[in-house]
Amino acid sequence: DDPWDDRIDAYVRESILPVTLSRIIAALDIPVAQQNQSTSRRIGARLRRLGYEKKRSRRVDDGYEWIRKEPGE
C-alpha cells in the first residue's frame, strides 16, 4: 500500500474540479524538491487503478486531466 493512496482517493472523491496531476500534487502538499517524474508516476498509477485515464484537455492549465472510465469503455 502506498501511503498516498488514501489521500489521492479522498481528493478524487471530493473534488468538484477536473482531476489533474498538478491539483493532486498541491492537495498532497508535496514539496517542490520532491515533484519529479517518480511522483507523477506514483500518482498516475493510483489514478489508473481507480479507473482513470489521462486525456488531453484545453480546459486545464497543464493540458491534461484524468477522466474516469465508465464500464464498457
Side-chain angles (χ1 to χ4, degrees):
D1 245 4
D2 189 309
W4 291 354
D5 285 355
D6 290 339
R7 295 173 63 199
I8 293 170
D9 295 356
Y11 175 82
V12 298
R13 191 174 47 248
E14 297 167 7
S15 179
I16 59 171
L17 297 172
V19 174
T20 66
L21 189 61
S22 58
R23 289 181 179 140
I24 291 176
I25 287 172
L28 295 177
D29 201 27
I30 298 170
V32 172
Q34 293 178 352
Q35 295 177 20
N36 54 37
Q37 187 123 15
S38 177
T39 300
S40 299
R41 285 190 196 121
R42 268 175 84 179
I43 295 169
R46 181 59 183 172
L47 291 172
R48 281 187 292 282
R49 285 193 303 273
L50 292 173
Y52 285 80
E53 62 182 24
K54 186 167 66 170
K55 296 283 188 180
R56 188 123 183 74
S57 175
R58 294 174 193 248
R59 299 184 314 158
V60 295
D61 294 339
D62 58 10
Y64 292 96
E65 65 182 303
W66 287 82
I67 306 293
R68 178 112 186 189
K69 286 175 49 176
E70 296 299 323
E73 283 188 40

